[in-house]
Amino acid sequence: MVEQNSTVDDEVDVSFIEQPAILDKHKGAGVITDNAVKKAIELCVPGASIFAITKEVNAFVDAEVKKVFSNKKSKNMERGIAFPCTISCNDIMGHFSPLSDEDAILEEGDVCKIVVGSHFDGFSAQTAHTHVCSANNAKVTGRAADVVLAAYNSFLAAQRSIKEASTNTSVTEAIAAVCAEFDCEPCEGVLSHKLKKHLIDGNDCIINKETPTMRVEELEFAPGDVYYLDVLVSGGEGKPRESALRCTVFKRELEVQYNLRMKSSRAFFAEVNKKYPTLPFSIASFEDTTAAKVGIKECCDHDLLVPYPVLIEKDRSIVAQFGCTIAVQTKSTALLSGNVPFDTKRFESEKSVKKEEIAKLIASDLW
């Protein structure tokens, strides 16, 4: 949700049409990312620690990426986490990855938005999935069911609106149409970005909700495009605001240079440049989080890092999220991540998609 433009080498403009191996890297990351989300779902039970879950999921990604592209030719390829695991519950919209001394414990009925991403050679895949925490997989009813079903059906409609010569405007309109059926609101300030090498926030994007003050330039999708589609839906106003919870997720600001004064800050920043030179990370992954907190402050004071603050719904309503990595091919659209099973039968809502045109879109195959 934090929007920043980054500058990387000219290779970012090469698509998988010119270099098919790029798609293989996205796909490889997609498999690992989806498996990481499935692992997080298994761990999201009442009484579980969010800190412990995110730590285990990040460790899983780090271990799994070493098993792919492991031949002699590819073993030195860059690989790892493209977005650290975050688990944001109920009215928390995103970016929640607490430190051990600021942990949160899951409770029955928590609406958990799980996000994680991985990459090979800078080509990433990210998935978002909403899971309702329960000891016995209990039915979900009321407003929580409305919101989750609205988000999931909006997600399906948005996927099916992405195809060659279609526009980002059609995707935004599809999300709005589905949300209206469930008396919900798409969340403001959410952008789905075109992905490039080492870049998860490219200039080309899809806006989740258009307002008089928040718009994006209309564009047509073309073969070779890869997007991270991010759909967030609220049972309230859909207006995010920064919370008082500690921000732990950051990304290197590539266009800024500064000579840090404090020795501990320089050591921290050197580790960031070594482990996470271009993609987001959580300070929870650092062995010495106390030193990381100190380093973060000076780095942020001089704009060396881009923060991903913990956002909450302004009116404290429940928020649900689904996201996938999607590629526009020459004659079809392919999901590279976001293929995580979702049981709609668990959710009982009095609302549903009644408009025939929208229902047909949701039920249709991908282009």
Side-chain angles (χ1 to χ4, degrees), residues 156-169:
L156 296 180
Q159 290 174 357
R160 283 145 181 80
S161 300
I162 295 176
K163 52 189 175 182
E164 183 179 3
S166 182
T167 66
N168 52 352
T169 302

Side-chain angles (χ1 to χ4, degrees), residues 286-300:
F286 286 74
E287 190 171 330
D288 187 347
T289 55
T290 301
K293 291 177 190 176
V294 175
I296 282 288
K297 186 179 186 309
E298 189 178 3
C299 288
C300 287

Side-chain angles (χ1 to χ4, degrees), residues 10-42:
D10 293 338
E11 197 173 353
V12 298
D13 291 325
V14 178
S15 80
F16 65 81
I17 302 297
E18 293 85 19
Q19 294 186 14
I22 290 174
L23 192 61
D24 293 335
K25 294 168 185 176
H26 282 297
K27 286 180 177 179
V31 171
I32 291 170
T33 295
D34 281 355
N35 286 336
V37 169
K38 292 173 186 176
K39 186 172 189 65
I41 290 170
E42 292 174 359

Side-chain angles (χ1 to χ4, degrees), residues 139-140 145 148-149 152-153 156 322 341-349 362:
K139 292 284 186 180
V140 181
V148 176
L149 288 175
Y152 183 66
N153 284 287
L156 296 180
F322 290 90
F342 178 75
D343 183 11
T344 56
K345 294 178 181 178
R346 190 183 164 201
F347 297 82
E348 297 180 347
S349 170
I362 293 169

Side-chain angles (χ1 to χ4, degrees), residues 25-200:
K25 294 168 185 176
H26 282 297
K27 286 180 177 179
V31 171
I32 291 170
T33 295
D34 281 355
N35 286 336
V37 169
K38 292 173 186 176
K39 186 172 189 65
I41 290 170
E42 292 174 359
L43 296 171
C44 283
V45 296
S49 151
I50 291 182
F51 166 76
I53 297 170
T54 55
K55 184 176 181 180
E56 187 168 342
V57 171
N58 287 334
F60 174 84
V61 172
D62 280 332
E64 291 299 304
V65 293
K66 295 174 183 175
K67 301 175 184 177
V68 185
F69 297 109
S70 56
N71 58 35
K72 187 175 182 181
K73 183 179 178 181
S74 303
K75 67 179 182 179
N76 293 325
M77 178 189 297
E78 289 184 69
R79 63 194 68 208
I81 292 170
F83 199 92
C85 181
T86 61
I87 300 176
S88 309
C89 296
N90 305 321
D91 63 322
I92 300 177
M93 283 186 164
H95 309 154
F96 187 60
S97 175
L99 303 180
S100 60
D101 58 347
E102 299 168 339
D103 200 5
I105 304 301
L106 293 177
E107 298 180 359
E108 180 76 23
D110 277 347
V111 178
C112 306
K113 295 169 286 296
I114 302 163
V115 179
V116 68
S118 64
H119 78 96
F120 287 101
D121 198 25
F123 297 102
S124 64
Q126 194 170 322
T127 294
H129 189 86
T130 295
H131 170 71
V132 179
C133 179
S134 176
N136 56 4
N137 208 33
K139 292 284 186 180
V140 181
T141 60
R143 200 59 179 143
D146 296 345
V147 175
V148 176
L149 288 175
Y152 183 66
N153 284 287
S154 295
F155 177 55
L156 296 180
Q159 290 174 357
R160 283 145 181 80
S161 300
I162 295 176
K163 52 189 175 182
E164 183 179 3
S166 182
T167 66
N168 52 352
T169 302
S170 68
V171 180
T172 306
E173 290 173 347
I175 293 169
V178 175
C179 286
E181 296 283 273
F182 289 89
D183 194 22
C184 291
E185 284 291 333
C187 295
E188 296 178 8
V190 180
L191 298 178
S192 298
H193 292 277
K194 185 175 178 179
L195 303 178
K196 298 182 180 181
K197 185 173 184 177
H198 292 297
L199 189 64
I200 64 168

